[in-house]
Amino acid sequence: MIAKLTGRLDSSGAGHAVIDVGGVGYLVEASARTLDTLGPVGGDVTIHTEMLVGEDFLRLLGFAKAEERDWFRLLTSVQGVGAKVALAILSALEIGDLQRALASGDSAMIARANGVGPKLAQRITHELKDKAGALGGIASSGPALSATSGPLGDAVAALTGLGFKPGEASAAVAAASEELGASTGLDALVRLALKKAAK
């Protein structure tokens, strides 16, 4: 969403921003890192969004980068990790540091985030250790899974639309893309990613 920033709350940690889109103000939850990159109040902003829908709530989350949104989806695929905890982790750790912590099994680094105890940090590390490598393009110069507007993002959206968890979909698409190459079309990418996700 491209809009205008009209206000910011709780900028010292994960908090909220008010985004004006065509005269309508949206309250957007965001990590501290996203809030820091939005720029001055009144300026134009580009923000990637995720909507959470429950029986009695609608929550709009905002991310400065599509890759931060991908990591949010991956983190919330872990049992016990809700939006608040995922935003706290993304506030406390740079994406590259988060990926390295998961790949090396460093649960103590994950536990630095507000609201993340040792047991939850261990669960996150255990469940995402193998998937962190699949999102390597987010934190390095590897395959750009973060390009959510391109075939990779469309393939992830297709798999999540079929009921796969965001982390599973991202890992399967990354593996399929690595096997098929960067110039692969969407159909072939989705077909192979489905095979990999179903294993």
Side-chain angles (χ1 to χ4, degrees):
M1 143 188 333
I2 300 174
K4 207 171 273 296
L5 179 65
T6 59
R8 185 184 283 118
L9 308 166
D10 306 323
S11 60
S12 60
H16 300 81
V18 179
I19 308 291
D20 181 309
V21 183
V24 178
Y26 292 91
L27 183 66
V28 178
E29 293 179 60
S31 71
R33 293 184 190 281
T34 288
L35 291 174
D36 287 345
T37 61
L38 289 181
V41 171
D44 289 342
V45 295
T46 300
I47 193 161
H48 303 269
T49 59
E50 179 91 353
M51 181 169 282
L52 303 181
V53 181
E55 282 187 24
D56 57 352
F57 69 86
L58 285 173
R59 292 168 67 187
L60 188 62
L61 292 99
F63 306 92
K65 299 177 182 176
E67 51 264 36
E68 185 186 13
R69 182 178 59 188
D70 291 339
W71 277 97
F72 172 84
R73 291 171 176 168
L74 185 63
L75 286 165
T76 54
S77 71
V78 177
Q79 182 182 359
V81 178
K84 183 177 180 181
V85 169
L87 289 177
I89 292 169
L90 292 169
S91 293
L93 298 172
E94 293 275 359
I95 288 173
D97 293 335
L98 174 57
Q99 183 186 9
R100 282 187 288 279
L102 292 172
S104 65
D106 185 357
S107 61
M109 183 175 278
I110 308 292
R112 288 173 28 193
N114 288 336
V116 180
K119 287 185 179 179
L120 182 56
Q122 286 175 352
R123 184 186 312 144
I124 293 167
T125 305
H126 175 73
E127 289 190 25
L128 299 184
K129 183 172 185 174
D130 295 333
K131 296 176 182 178
L135 289 179
I138 288 172
S140 68
S141 58
L145 183 63
S146 60
T148 55
S149 60
L152 294 176
D154 292 342
V156 170
L159 265 67
T160 55
L162 291 171
F164 290 96
K165 290 183 178 178
E168 294 171 336
S170 295
V173 169
S177 175
E178 189 173 325
E179 187 173 317
L180 294 172
S183 61
T184 304
L186 178 60
D187 291 343
L189 190 60
V190 170
R191 277 197 297 272
L192 183 57
L194 276 170
K195 289 179 185 175
K196 292 186 176 294
K199 287 182 180 178

